[in-house]
Amino acid sequence: MTTDLTLNASASVQRMDSLSANEFAVYLQDIPLRGVLRLTDFKPFKLDVKPTTALKALKEPFKLVRLVESDPASPINKWVVESINAQTDFDRPKRDLTLVAVDEGVPTRQWMITGAWISEVNYSSFDSGSREFVEETLTIQWDAIKFEWL
């Protein structure tokens, strides 16, 4: 999205290219995920900076919020079921995810998330008086994230 920004009354107008938050796609093992509403707390790079120790990369989890899908054969539903059934097993079901930022329909950059695993599954309220769709929030841990301009 291109936006005109006026610097001040006497300055010229400059163009700034920015991304809209609602233009993105998420892929699970190269298959596009349907019904993804939002990705929150996504921090592909963060350092723990302390003056007395070496820099340490932190791998903080992010949340993927999606509409509950009724197809038990969908790749995301299979992953959720495998994760729940694994319970406390250290050998977590892992997948690769790709987050693609899109600008006016054109993919511009992507983050390849390897070794992703689900550490929490949370659902919005089941409410007989509501007409809202049920949302599923997955807390995703990860091994590595690589960034790439497209």
Side-chain angles (χ1 to χ4, degrees):
M1 165 185 278
T2 303
T3 306
D4 288 335
L5 296 176
T6 303
L7 299 175
N8 60 42
S10 63
S12 63
V13 173
Q14 287 188 340
R15 287 210 170 290
M16 182 176 88
D17 191 30
S18 61
L19 291 173
S20 294
N22 66 345
E23 288 190 279
F24 69 97
V26 179
Y27 296 83
L28 173 64
Q29 305 292 115
D30 298 323
I31 298 169
L33 291 181
R34 298 176 306 201
V36 175
L37 301 174
R38 63 192 162 275
L39 216 87
T40 64
D41 304 324
F42 186 63
K43 298 175 189 168
F45 178 73
K46 182 177 179 181
L47 290 176
D48 182 17
V49 181
K50 295 181 181 168
T52 59
T53 62
L55 295 177
K56 178 182 174 187
L58 298 176
K59 296 180 179 180
E60 295 188 357
F62 62 90
K63 296 184 185 302
L64 186 145
V65 182
R66 66 186 203 101
L67 295 174
V68 171
E69 193 178 2
S70 59
D71 179 9
S74 78
I76 188 79
N77 283 343
K78 286 182 178 181
W79 188 27
V80 168
V81 169
E82 287 175 25
S83 298
I84 292 170
N85 290 342
Q87 292 294 305
T88 59
D89 190 342
F90 282 111
D91 188 19
R92 306 302 308 157
K94 293 185 176 184
R95 303 290 192 275
D96 292 339
L97 297 170
T98 304
L99 169 61
V100 179
V102 180
D103 188 14
E104 297 180 3
V106 178
T108 60
R109 63 197 82 188
Q110 68 181 8
W111 295 264
M112 289 83 55
I113 305 153
T114 55
W117 55 279
I118 300 169
S119 63
E120 181 179 356
V121 180
N122 188 17
Y123 293 95
S124 60
S125 296
F126 288 84
D127 181 353
S128 63
S130 172
R131 294 182 181 256
E132 299 288 323
F133 291 111
V134 176
E135 293 180 5
E136 180 178 66
T137 301
L138 307 177
T139 301
I140 309 288
Q141 310 285 336
W142 48 274
D143 291 338
I145 297 179
K146 292 184 180 175
F147 173 78
E148 172 179 270
W149 289 99
L150 301 176

